[in-house]
Amino acid sequence: MHTVYARVNNVSALLSSCTMALLAAIALSSFLFTADPKGSLAVASVQVFTGNTRRYATKKQELAFVNFNLTADLSPLFNWNTKQLFLYVTAEYTNRQGVTNEVVIWDRIVRRKEDAKIETAGRNRYTFREMSTSFRDTPPANYSLKYNVMPYVGVLTYGEAARTLDAVPFPAQHELS
């Protein structure tokens, strides 16, 4: 006869195997749901100012301030396995040395499908600066709204919901007072 411990071990092994199979089925079913969210992103203005960096009070560096208008309907990304969305606006440009940069200037976390319709006139939340200290002679930047779908079970999914139609140039600098 089997002992109580052997029977508990068999039942718990069966339950954990069934749970893992269920989680694998949930993760694989996430690939069946494909959504194509639509949005529009327009840059209203870009201003470049000269200011001090935080670390070095004597070092001058150019800072860019971007005002943008964002409209997007991301509700098709929500299904029964979506925990939350991470949205972010990036600026992609190539500096004078030929290095391609992608800078996150704004982000938001969306936890409910009801909050997935976004209409905002925003400004960059994070410092947008060029490591070479100057945006002078830098080619225009492309701006895009990207998302990251975080599921309850499964792999993270990345995508792009909106992009500016034309590259936006960096203007001449202004002095901060």
Side-chain angles (χ1 to χ4, degrees):
M1 213 76 227
H2 296 291
T3 65
V4 174
Y5 296 116
R7 291 180 183 182
V8 169
N9 186 22
N10 288 338
V11 169
S12 66
L14 176 67
L15 289 177
S16 64
S17 297
C18 291
T19 303
M20 291 309 242
L22 180 63
L23 292 176
I26 291 170
L28 291 175
S29 69
S30 296
F31 293 113
L32 298 176
F33 298 108
T34 57
D36 189 25
K38 299 294 181 196
S40 66
L41 177 65
V43 175
S45 68
V46 177
Q47 298 172 338
V48 176
F49 294 99
T50 302
N52 293 333
T53 60
R54 290 184 181 194
R55 292 186 181 178
Y56 308 106
T58 59
K59 185 177 180 183
K60 297 287 186 182
Q61 190 170 27
E62 289 185 0
L63 306 170
F65 296 94
V66 181
N67 293 322
F68 58 89
N69 297 319
L70 174 65
T71 304
D73 182 14
L74 303 168
S75 57
L77 294 173
F78 277 89
N79 57 38
W80 56 277
N81 193 25
T82 303
K83 182 177 183 179
Q84 66 184 14
L85 297 177
F86 179 68
L87 309 174
Y88 53 102
V89 174
T90 61
E92 302 165 11
Y93 67 97
T94 304
N95 64 7
R96 292 181 304 221
Q97 289 82 17
V99 178
T100 302
N101 296 307
E102 186 173 356
V103 180
V104 175
I105 60 172
W106 178 87
D107 66 355
R108 177 180 288 177
I109 295 175
V110 178
R111 291 188 173 93
R112 300 183 313 154
K113 186 175 184 175
E114 294 81 24
D115 299 333
K117 293 186 180 183
I118 297 171
E119 292 184 25
T120 183
R123 188 173 191 180
N124 57 317
R125 182 176 293 174
Y126 303 109
T127 304
F128 183 16
R129 61 183 176 166
E130 170 58 34
M131 294 306 292
S132 66
T133 69
S134 177
F135 284 106
R136 191 174 306 120
D137 299 329
T138 301
N142 292 313
Y143 297 88
S144 60
L145 172 67
K146 297 183 179 182
Y147 62 86
N148 180 357
V149 179
M150 297 177 188
Y152 286 106
V153 178
V155 297
L156 299 175
T157 308
Y158 296 89
E160 184 174 296
R163 180 175 278 280
T164 54
L165 297 175
D166 298 322
V168 180
F170 292 102
Q173 67 179 7
H174 304 290
E175 288 294 325
L176 284 176
S177 53

